[in-house]
Amino acid sequence: ETGVTQSPTHLIKTRGQQVTLRCSSQSGHNTVSWYQQALGQGPQFIFQYYREEENGRGNFPPRFSGLQFPNYSSELNVNALELDDSALYLCASSSTGGRTGELFFGEGSRLTVL
Amino acid sequence: AQSVTQLDSQVPVFEEAPVELRCNYSSSVSVYLFWYVQYPNQGLQLLLKYLSGSTLVKGINGFEAEFNKSQTSFHLRKPSVHISDTAEYFCAVLEGAAGNKLTFGGGTRVLVKP
């Protein structure tokens, strides 16, 4: 059984640029959630995708957007990067729309914005 | 809105000693409760969860937690820690049966000393 995989693992961008982060969900999971974890803090919910549609969104501006593909993999896109976007971005997959809270996390993509 | 407070940001503990990590939450509706562990440079792994039933929940690696509805707490305990338990621990809340996002606390860093 393949777990959740994320790419890239590390990347550096400058302010104003755009970034795309990718996530492959665990086999059999149809739900993908994205979380932002700033240094020294707990993860914060960005949004969730279920059956290719956004199924809930946290308190993040519209420049954070996402996609889910028919194979349930997902992308997180961030436009007009700001310094505060520097963080570990975690993808988590689950079944049943994530309602039991048992999320399976990838190791994250660490984004540094200079 | 729900919130999760982890009262200790860091907990140093000697090997084979017991440890307790405190977690309090606020919510106006019923909740599901979780503890996740994050080892260095890794994603989050589920330790245990409370959905319903017995308020004492046992998880992996010898951890257990007790749900106390009147005190809105979900403290995590382990009677004897190992060096390998050095990690960051996050308490999280899922609000209601229809909830689809986890709200995390700020984390507690456990450092096990020999």
Side-chain angles (χ1 to χ4, degrees):
Chain A
E1 185 178 81
T2 306
V4 178
T5 58
Q6 293 186 242
S7 63
T9 55
H10 295 81
L11 69 167
I12 300 173
K13 294 284 188 178
T14 57
R15 274 186 303 172
Q17 285 189 311
Q18 179 265 343
V19 68
T20 297
L21 308 178
R22 296 177 176 83
C23 172
S24 293
S25 60
Q26 184 163 312
S27 176
H29 287 178
N30 57 14
T31 304
V32 172
S33 304
W34 286 92
Y35 286 79
Q36 180 195 66
Q37 186 179 16
L39 198 61
Q41 297 183 23
Q44 287 198 302
F45 177 73
I46 303 175
F47 43 55
Q48 181 185 89
Y49 278 83
Y50 175 59
R51 294 184 177 178
E52 301 180 57
E53 293 195 1
E54 190 177 286
N55 183 40
R57 188 179 183 93
N59 190 26
F60 281 82
R63 59 189 185 85
F64 285 78
S65 63
L67 284 173
Q68 187 179 33
F69 301 99
N71 66 354
Y72 304 127
S73 66
S74 177
E75 285 182 357
L76 164 65
N77 298 289
V78 187
N79 293 322
L81 285 167
E82 301 177 0
L83 296 180
D84 285 348
D85 295 333
S86 294
L88 181 67
Y89 289 85
L90 294 166
C91 169
S93 74
S94 58
S95 55
T96 68
R99 290 176 184 172
T100 61
E102 186 154 7
L103 305 182
F104 293 80
F105 284 86
E107 295 191 355
S109 294
R110 186 167 296 283
L111 171 65
T112 302
V113 182
L114 302 177
Chain B
Q2 60 193 353
S3 65
V4 179
T5 302
Q6 292 183 241
L7 297 164
D8 306 295
S9 59
Q10 292 190 62
V11 174
V13 57
F14 286 105
E15 195 173 15
E16 298 184 7
V19 70
E20 178 180 80
L21 309 185
R22 297 178 292 169
C23 172
N24 288 88
Y25 68 92
S26 66
S27 176
S28 57
V29 299
S30 62
V31 295
Y32 298 157
L33 297 156
F34 308 84
W35 276 97
Y36 281 82
V37 60
Q38 187 175 34
Y39 298 104
N41 300 314
Q42 293 189 26
L44 279 72
Q45 179 183 3
L46 181 67
L47 273 179
L48 48 78
K49 62 183 177 183
Y50 171 79
L51 302 182
S52 64
S54 173
T55 57
L56 183 63
V57 179
K58 294 190 183 298
I60 63 171
N61 300 341
F63 284 93
E64 64 179 31
E66 187 155 18
F67 170 54
N68 187 319
K69 188 175 181 180
S70 63
Q71 296 188 3
T72 60
S73 68
F74 191 54
H75 300 334
L76 180 72
R77 302 185 187 94
K78 185 170 182 177
S80 176
V81 296
H82 302 290
I83 295 287
S84 59
D85 292 322
T86 294
E88 186 128 25
Y89 293 80
F90 293 95
C91 181
V93 166
L94 184 71
E95 193 170 69
N100 61 3
K101 72 166 191 177
L102 285 176
T103 299
F104 285 87
T108 298
R109 186 174 299 277
V110 173
L111 176 60
V112 181
K113 303 176 181 180

